[in-house]
Amino acid sequence: MIVAVADAGPIIHLAEIDAIELLGTVDELYVPETVRGELEAGGVPQGFEKLEFELVVAETDERKFGTGLDEGETAALAVATGRDAVLLTDDLTAREAAKESGVGVHGSIGVVALAFNRGELTEEQAVESMRSLQTETSLFVTDAVVDHGIEMLRDRSSE
């Protein structure tokens, strides 16, 4: 069972490629109210309201995770820590803070890989989604990260 907490990044980036529904691949999804507020301020992505998630309040002490995180990332990390959940983020600083806190972390590429592993996407669809995240969204992701994600898909396909 995969329990995850999303910050705004994966919600926005997956919506940019019309794949926001892939967030529903996790078994339980939590979205902190702070993240919801960030989305409302920037324009709630199409399809967000159709997702099944629980809106939660995060009890946070920003000093606990260090500096460099915005309020949404801090809230998402606090909820992930408190619920023994995976943090879904595309932010490098948030990823590092999660790892330092012992929290598992995945980004938008990881969500696509999970959807493939759970039979929600074919290999071709997953590869296309990963490449689209790099070329058609506001997400900065290197060729090496995308190539590694695709290699993992192909390794899984050959099992």
Side-chain angles (χ1 to χ4, degrees):
M1 181 162 163
I2 298 176
V3 178
V5 181
D7 80 3
I11 295 169
I12 292 167
H13 300 133
L14 289 167
E16 287 175 329
I17 62 167
D18 296 322
I20 194 169
E21 73 280 355
L22 295 181
L23 289 166
T25 304
V26 301
D27 299 301
E28 289 182 30
L29 180 63
Y30 296 101
V31 176
E33 286 185 351
T34 306
V35 170
R36 170 64 189 231
E38 289 178 347
L39 293 171
E40 288 173 349
V44 176
Q46 187 173 349
F48 178 72
E49 295 302 330
K50 293 180 183 176
L51 284 176
E52 286 189 34
F53 64 90
E54 184 176 336
L55 193 62
V56 293
V57 175
E59 299 292 327
T60 64
D61 177 355
E62 292 181 18
R63 295 168 294 184
K64 179 177 179 178
F65 303 117
T67 59
L69 301 181
D70 69 23
E71 289 181 24
E73 293 158 354
T74 300
L77 183 52
V79 172
T81 301
R83 295 181 187 252
D84 194 28
V86 173
L87 175 65
L88 301 179
T89 184
D90 290 322
D91 183 85
L92 181 59
T93 304
R95 292 174 77 86
E96 291 170 354
K99 288 177 185 174
E100 288 175 12
S101 300
V103 172
V105 62
H106 295 289
S108 295
I109 297 281
V111 172
V112 171
L114 176 63
F116 168 75
N117 289 336
R118 292 195 160 185
E120 302 287 327
L121 296 174
T122 65
E123 180 182 326
E124 183 180 323
Q125 290 169 321
V127 168
E128 182 181 327
S129 294
M130 287 182 181
R131 293 211 187 280
S132 294
L133 282 165
Q134 182 182 32
T135 61
E136 299 174 22
T137 72
S138 57
L139 174 63
F140 173 77
V141 60
T142 64
D143 289 337
V145 169
V146 172
D147 291 344
H148 179 70
I150 292 169
E151 181 181 317
M152 288 174 41
L153 293 176
R154 293 195 170 134
D155 287 347
R156 179 81 184 210
S157 289
S158 65
E159 290 178 354

